[in-house]
Amino acid sequence: MDPVNALPPADQTDPADPLAAFAALRTPEGAALLDELRDHDPARELATATRLRRTHPAALVSAALGQARLRQRAVAKFGAADAYRMFFTPDGVEQATRTSVAGYRAERFAELGVRSVADLCCGIGGDAIALARAGVSVLAVDRDPLTARVARANAEALGLQDLVEVRCADVAEVDTSPYDAVFVDPARRGGRGRIFDPEAYSPPLSWATGAALKAPRAALKIAPGVPHEAIEPGAEAEWISDGGDVKEAVLWFGDGFTPGAFRATLLPSRTTLVSEGPLPAPPVGPVGRYLYEPDGAVIRAHLVADIVERCEGRLIDETIAYVTSDRPYASEATAAYEITDQLPFNMKKLKALLRERQVGVLTVKKRGSPVEPEELRRKMKLQGPHAATVFLTRVAGAPTMLIGQPVRQA
């Protein structure tokens, strides 16, 4: 087997060469500089750069400051313990999978007995790292030389080089037949920002699906907003949220997965809702005592009808994903509120009601309303010791305001 990420050495004397700049960061001088910049203040970057250039080459200082900024951004996804040992590219930070999500997916593979994975379009190696930590050996492939070198450096920095082989290659030319599973994470950003057309991914979703169908098991990471009609019928589709924010969708193929199923998984609790096919349209009716706001993953997976059934409720409008019920219902998959008032949309009436109840803290939620929450809060001129939540929405097609309080769930 060739050495991990066997690439020609970079010219470390050329500051315009990104490979040279990265190689310089991995020298003892570069490592010491990165350690010194760990807690630097970006607002004082000019002064910091001026000071460091007195004792270090200007090109190395520039590269180190850029990497320090990326590491600070990466803490939110990877945690400080890993982020300050790893290396990043701007696209790598943006597109890398959050550690909690990558870990969940890796464990799902491992629980099915997967021991080797071909990670195609590996980026800076976030998923490869999670798979290796789950005991899975990984071939990590990326066609960009700098990205491949960064992925190799990250495996080494975290002590996982024995489980992660990095190869700089076109994923279409990689033989995945020796591996138990394939994971594909197509690039979904271009020069103009996010790419919404799955066939404009790099590689296209159709190619990734074809590669998945040839493997014993496979997972494709896609944007959570992908149209359901673009999903291969043979896939199990899963939407994943972390801390209430929808992070991604995954299409699973092969043994252990249910073709045509829809799944919503909520991290960190790992609460899961699943349906083996599309659910019937839920009933619509008047607002009851309680209002339930499903997690975004539940909404994306079209599983709101499951919540309606569980709480013996109904939708407040056939186009709005707010569920109402006359009885309390506790679930990790919903936020619950007790509704005290229902008013036709009217700013003056809302302002008078909030003033009467001495509401100084107002949480504004909206679905189906053009009003911006910050604009509404500014116009209310809030004062007082109490708090409230207002929902700007539609009830049976009519613009409506619902006022209530969160219900603390067991």
Short mmCIF file of all heavy atoms in Angstrom, two decimals, residues 133-156:
data_model
loop_
_atom_site.label_atom_id
_atom_site.label_comp_id
_atom_site.label_asym_id
_atom_site.label_seq_id
_atom_site.Cartn_x
_atom_site.Cartn_y
_atom_site.Cartn_z
N ARG A 133 -12.44 6.69 15.39
CA ARG A 133 -12.67 6.62 16.84
C ARG A 133 -13.71 5.57 17.21
O ARG A 133 -13.76 5.10 18.34
CB ARG A 133 -13.08 8.00 17.36
CG ARG A 133 -11.90 8.94 17.47
CD ARG A 133 -12.30 10.35 17.86
NE ARG A 133 -11.13 11.12 18.28
CZ ARG A 133 -11.13 12.43 18.46
NH1 ARG A 133 -12.24 13.14 18.24
NH2 ARG A 133 -10.03 13.05 18.84
N ALA A 134 -14.55 5.19 16.24
CA ALA A 134 -15.52 4.11 16.46
C ALA A 134 -14.92 2.75 16.13
O ALA A 134 -15.63 1.74 16.13
CB ALA A 134 -16.77 4.35 15.62
N GLY A 135 -13.62 2.71 15.83
CA GLY A 135 -12.94 1.45 15.55
C GLY A 135 -13.00 1.00 14.11
O GLY A 135 -12.67 -0.15 13.81
N VAL A 136 -13.37 1.90 13.21
CA VAL A 136 -13.51 1.56 11.80
C VAL A 136 -12.27 2.05 11.05
O VAL A 136 -11.84 3.19 11.24
CB VAL A 136 -14.78 2.22 11.21
CG1 VAL A 136 -14.90 1.93 9.72
CG2 VAL A 136 -16.02 1.76 11.97
N SER A 137 -11.70 1.21 10.18
CA SER A 137 -10.59 1.66 9.34
C SER A 137 -11.15 2.39 8.13
O SER A 137 -12.19 2.03 7.59
CB SER A 137 -9.72 0.48 8.90
OG SER A 137 -10.46 -0.42 8.09
N VAL A 138 -10.45 3.45 7.70
CA VAL A 138 -11.00 4.37 6.71
C VAL A 138 -9.99 4.62 5.59
O VAL A 138 -8.81 4.86 5.85
CB VAL A 138 -11.36 5.72 7.36
CG1 VAL A 138 -12.06 6.63 6.35
CG2 VAL A 138 -12.23 5.52 8.59
N LEU A 139 -10.49 4.57 4.34
CA LEU A 139 -9.78 5.15 3.22
C LEU A 139 -10.44 6.49 2.96
O LEU A 139 -11.61 6.56 2.56
CB LEU A 139 -9.89 4.27 1.97
CG LEU A 139 -9.39 4.93 0.68
CD1 LEU A 139 -7.89 5.19 0.75
CD2 LEU A 139 -9.74 4.10 -0.54
N ALA A 140 -9.73 7.58 3.19
CA ALA A 140 -10.27 8.93 3.03
C ALA A 140 -9.73 9.51 1.73
O ALA A 140 -8.51 9.60 1.54
CB ALA A 140 -9.88 9.81 4.22
N VAL A 141 -10.63 9.92 0.83
CA VAL A 141 -10.23 10.34 -0.51
C VAL A 141 -10.70 11.76 -0.78
O VAL A 141 -11.88 12.09 -0.55
CB VAL A 141 -10.82 9.40 -1.59
CG1 VAL A 141 -10.33 9.82 -2.98
CG2 VAL A 141 -10.46 7.95 -1.30
N ASP A 142 -9.82 12.60 -1.27
CA ASP A 142 -10.19 13.92 -1.74
C ASP A 142 -9.28 14.28 -2.91
O ASP A 142 -8.09 13.95 -2.89
CB ASP A 142 -10.06 14.97 -0.63
CG ASP A 142 -10.90 16.20 -0.91
OD1 ASP A 142 -10.47 17.04 -1.73
OD2 ASP A 142 -12.00 16.32 -0.32
N ARG A 143 -9.82 14.97 -3.91
CA ARG A 143 -9.04 15.27 -5.10
C ARG A 143 -8.17 16.51 -4.95
O ARG A 143 -7.28 16.75 -5.77
CB ARG A 143 -9.95 15.41 -6.32
CG ARG A 143 -10.83 16.65 -6.29
CD ARG A 143 -11.73 16.71 -7.51
NE ARG A 143 -12.59 17.90 -7.49
CZ ARG A 143 -13.49 18.16 -8.43
NH1 ARG A 143 -13.65 17.32 -9.44
NH2 ARG A 143 -14.23 19.25 -8.35
N ASP A 144 -8.41 17.33 -3.94
CA ASP A 144 -7.65 18.55 -3.76
C ASP A 144 -6.39 18.25 -2.95
O ASP A 144 -6.48 17.76 -1.82
CB ASP A 144 -8.49 19.61 -3.04
CG ASP A 144 -7.69 20.87 -2.79
OD1 ASP A 144 -7.33 21.53 -3.78
OD2 ASP A 144 -7.41 21.17 -1.62
N PRO A 145 -5.20 18.53 -3.48
CA PRO A 145 -3.97 18.18 -2.78
C PRO A 145 -3.84 18.80 -1.39
O PRO A 145 -3.44 18.12 -0.43
CB PRO A 145 -2.86 18.67 -3.72
CG PRO A 145 -3.49 18.66 -5.07
CD PRO A 145 -4.92 19.05 -4.84
N LEU A 146 -4.19 20.08 -1.26
CA LEU A 146 -4.08 20.71 0.06
C LEU A 146 -5.05 20.08 1.04
O LEU A 146 -4.69 19.77 2.18
CB LEU A 146 -4.34 22.21 -0.06
CG LEU A 146 -4.38 22.98 1.29
CD1 LEU A 146 -3.04 22.86 2.01
CD2 LEU A 146 -4.74 24.44 1.07
N THR A 147 -6.29 19.88 0.62
CA THR A 147 -7.29 19.28 1.51
C THR A 147 -6.85 17.89 1.95
O THR A 147 -7.01 17.51 3.12
CB THR A 147 -8.65 19.22 0.81
OG1 THR A 147 -9.03 20.54 0.41
CG2 THR A 147 -9.72 18.66 1.73
N ALA A 148 -6.30 17.11 1.03
CA ALA A 148 -5.84 15.77 1.39
C ALA A 148 -4.71 15.83 2.41
O ALA A 148 -4.66 15.04 3.36
CB ALA A 148 -5.39 15.03 0.13
N ARG A 149 -3.80 16.79 2.23
CA ARG A 149 -2.72 16.92 3.21
C ARG A 149 -3.25 17.32 4.58
O ARG A 149 -2.76 16.88 5.62
CB ARG A 149 -1.71 17.95 2.72
CG ARG A 149 -0.90 17.44 1.53
CD ARG A 149 0.32 18.29 1.28
NE ARG A 149 1.05 17.75 0.14
CZ ARG A 149 2.35 17.91 -0.06
NH1 ARG A 149 3.06 18.58 0.82
NH2 ARG A 149 2.93 17.40 -1.12
N VAL A 150 -4.23 18.20 4.60
CA VAL A 150 -4.83 18.60 5.87
C VAL A 150 -5.50 17.40 6.54
O VAL A 150 -5.37 17.21 7.76
CB VAL A 150 -5.83 19.75 5.64
CG1 VAL A 150 -6.65 20.02 6.90
CG2 VAL A 150 -5.10 21.01 5.21
N ALA A 151 -6.21 16.58 5.77
CA ALA A 151 -6.85 15.40 6.35
C ALA A 151 -5.82 14.46 6.95
O ALA A 151 -6.02 13.90 8.04
CB ALA A 151 -7.67 14.68 5.28
N ARG A 152 -4.69 14.27 6.25
CA ARG A 152 -3.64 13.41 6.78
C ARG A 152 -3.08 13.98 8.08
O ARG A 152 -2.88 13.27 9.06
CB ARG A 152 -2.51 13.27 5.75
CG ARG A 152 -1.35 12.43 6.27
CD ARG A 152 -0.14 12.56 5.37
NE ARG A 152 0.97 11.77 5.90
CZ ARG A 152 2.19 11.81 5.41
NH1 ARG A 152 2.48 12.59 4.40
NH2 ARG A 152 3.15 11.07 5.94
N ALA A 153 -2.82 15.30 8.08
CA ALA A 153 -2.28 15.93 9.28
C ALA A 153 -3.23 15.81 10.46
O ALA A 153 -2.80 15.61 11.60
CB ALA A 153 -2.00 17.41 8.99
N ASN A 154 -4.52 15.88 10.20
CA ASN A 154 -5.49 15.78 11.29
C ASN A 154 -5.54 14.37 11.86
O ASN A 154 -5.66 14.19 13.08
CB ASN A 154 -6.87 16.20 10.79
CG ASN A 154 -6.96 17.70 10.60
OD1 ASN A 154 -6.19 18.46 11.19
ND2 ASN A 154 -7.88 18.16 9.75
N ALA A 155 -5.46 13.36 11.00
CA ALA A 155 -5.41 11.99 11.51
C ALA A 155 -4.18 11.79 12.39
O ALA A 155 -4.24 11.16 13.46
CB ALA A 155 -5.41 11.00 10.34
N GLU A 156 -3.06 12.34 11.96
CA GLU A 156 -1.83 12.21 12.75
C GLU A 156 -1.92 12.99 14.06
O GLU A 156 -1.52 12.51 15.12
CB GLU A 156 -0.64 12.71 11.93
CG GLU A 156 -0.32 11.83 10.72
CD GLU A 156 0.81 12.40 9.88
OE1 GLU A 156 1.23 13.55 10.15
OE2 GLU A 156 1.27 11.70 8.97
#
